[in-house]
Amino acid sequence: MYNRFKYVEYFGGPNFGKKFLQKQATKQKKKFSAGLSVQKTVNIETDVLDAMKSNDFFNRYLDPNESVFLSRLSMLYGKLDLDEQKALFLNLVRAYVYLPPSAYESLYNKAYAKVRKEFPNAKRIVWLPTTFQFFQKVSSNGESFITLNDTKSSDLMLYLTHGVFQYAHTGGNAQSILKNASICSFNNSLGIRPKNPNDTIVMLIDDFIGSGQQCMKAINKYEKNGIKVDGVMSLAILETGLNLLKKRPNIHVFVGCVAKDASKIASTDELKNLSASLGISKFLPNSTALITMIRTPNNTLQIFRNKTKSAPFPRGI
């Protein structure tokens, strides 16, 4: 459902997309207002709208006044009775990171500028995904090689990398070699680092890194198969994941922005009680991220991404 709202701007044109979102917002508003007094409806929407307007990401990438998300967030907020839970909910809205497709290139360029500053002499950059499945194969002549398969959001970043380097001026003398894991194979480390390995850096890339566990596994697997990883680049990352990756002294981390974590705003019990008040029976303590990108990550706080029609940023399509 949410993805449909995201892409309508791109497939139907800006005017069609705006009208479509306004229509959806009107439907949500009517549903939200049903059974509530006019004054209570106004008060609820005013509180939520003020919180959204104080959020730089909402202001930058959508119009809070006309957003379907205003109605959806207001529906949740209207279910709360306790003042402390209302205050917590609004604080979570203020901290939420909203990154639609239109935000990707600017975040990419921001992170990539840090890569070039750290590696100014690199002539060749090899980009590899952070999520994959390893397959060890043997060719007809007995030579062993590795293939990588599995389509994930990191594959999208590989294509974005290809587009940015092909159509935009990036500066420097770097040559981007697209190594798309779903379609390429290479002979152990020889295909990654040529005769002069000092001219080449190997970067793992993704749009979002949460706990950092998956990324760390990727680094370990690459290095186990003879591929030295120099750094990780991501559009967004949780502070938890950033701290984990920094424990590897030889791995440089480059990000466009650091996403907020609800566990830094409230205690587990407070988040659990808030979730229960909003109909979440099973609270997931490891799902406390406050972020939505092209798709809402599965470790985003459940009240924002629960698979319901009224969820502000539903993960399901």
Side-chain angles (χ1 to χ4, degrees), residues 39 57 68 93 99-100 113 126 145 186 198 205 229 237 241 265 276:
Q39 187 59 49
F57 294 98
V68 65
V93 171
L99 300 173
V126 175
F145 65 94
F186 46 85
N198 294 328
I205 189 168
V229 176
I237 191 171
I265 298 174

Side-chain angles (χ1 to χ4, degrees), residues 74-226:
S74 297
M75 289 178 69
L76 289 179
Y77 183 70
K79 295 178 180 180
L80 301 173
D81 295 320
L82 300 177
D83 289 342
E84 57 267 28
Q85 289 191 346
K86 290 181 179 180
L88 173 56
F89 182 86
L90 294 177
N91 283 336
L92 296 176
V93 171
R94 294 185 186 100
Y96 205 88
V97 175
Y98 173 72
L99 300 173
S102 57
Y104 273 41
E105 188 168 349
S106 61
L107 287 171
Y108 182 100
N109 290 335
K110 182 179 179 179
Y112 178 70
K114 298 175 183 178
V115 175
R116 294 306 303 162
K117 184 177 181 179
E118 182 66 31
F119 299 102
N121 299 318
K123 296 179 180 179
R124 183 171 180 261
I125 302 176
V126 175
W127 302 93
L128 296 169
T130 61
T131 52
F132 54 83
Q133 295 175 348
F134 256 101
F135 293 92
Q136 190 78 26
K137 295 185 177 181
V138 178
S139 62
S140 58
N141 62 2
E143 183 179 11
S144 176
F145 65 94
I146 301 168
T147 61
L148 304 160
N149 291 291
D150 204 8
T151 302
K152 296 288 186 177
S153 58
S154 54
D155 291 317
L156 167 66
M157 293 306 301
L158 290 171
Y159 282 106
L160 179 60
T161 296
H162 183 66
V164 167
F165 277 86
Q166 184 173 356
Y167 299 113
H169 175 69
T170 59
N173 59 350
Q175 177 188 6
S176 172
I177 306 299
L178 182 66
K179 290 285 184 182
N180 187 333
S182 62
I183 60 175
C184 290
S185 64
F186 46 85
N187 296 329
N188 52 62
S189 61
L190 296 180
I192 295 295
R193 295 187 184 273
K195 293 181 180 180
N196 188 355
N198 294 328
D199 288 343
T200 299
I201 60 174
V202 176
M203 297 292 301
L204 301 195
I205 189 168
D206 209 339
D207 61 341
F208 173 68
I209 295 174
S211 67
Q213 295 288 345
Q214 180 63 48
C215 187
M216 192 66 80
K217 288 179 182 178
I219 294 172
N220 293 336
K221 276 199 172 182
Y222 278 122
E223 294 189 342
K224 183 179 179 181
N225 285 271

Side-chain angles (χ1 to χ4, degrees), residues 43-63:
N43 290 342
I44 289 173
E45 286 201 339
T46 298
D47 288 347
V48 175
L49 182 59
D50 287 345
M52 293 182 71
K53 286 184 175 180
S54 67
N55 183 314
D56 290 340
F57 294 98
F58 286 141
N59 283 325
R60 193 178 308 163
Y61 299 119
L62 56 81
D63 182 354

